[in-house]
Amino acid sequence: MPRVSLAALVAASSALAASGACRWPDAFAAPGLEPVVLTYLGDSTPARGTTIPTVIGVSVNGVPVANPRLALSSSDTTILAVTAGGDSLAARALGRAT
């Protein structure tokens, strides 16, 4: 029966572990971030007293996302308010709001 030296066994084990460990960190990595682009497609200057539908395009890696779920808010609801249904904007006064 052939005998294998401890040094040869350690060297073979190390080489095997190194070759298999190349992708080892990927097994525990968090999912990668993807580039998301939001594009406002609605009217950017609504007249005071009007309500306009909110139209926003969403794409991930250049691929459009159908029916994205978005939540809107206004920096100043005395100027521009989000309607109760969350699908329209109500222009209330002259000014600038985001």
Side-chain angles (χ1 to χ4, degrees), residues 2 5 13 18 20-21 24 28-30 36 39 48 50-51 54 60 78 83:
S5 72
S13 297
W24 188 251
F28 298 102
V36 176
T39 307
R48 182 176 49 195
T50 62
T51 299
T54 305
V60 177
T78 63
T83 60

Side-chain angles (χ1 to χ4, degrees), residues 50-54 70-74 77 80-92:
T50 62
T51 299
I52 57 170
T54 305
L70 302 172
L72 301 176
S73 63
S74 174
T77 57
L80 186 69
V82 179
T83 60
D87 61 350
S88 299
L89 300 172
R92 294 185 169 172

Side-chain angles (χ1 to χ4, degrees), residues 2 4 6 9 14 16 18 22 28 32 39 42 47 52 61 64-65 93-94 98:
V4 178
L6 181 59
L9 185 59
S14 297
L16 182 59
C22 290
F28 298 102
T39 307
I52 57 170
N61 280 329
V65 175
L94 295 176
T98 56

Side-chain angles (χ1 to χ4, degrees), residues 29-37 59-62:
L33 297 176
E34 303 291 336
V36 176
V37 177
S59 65
V60 177
N61 280 329

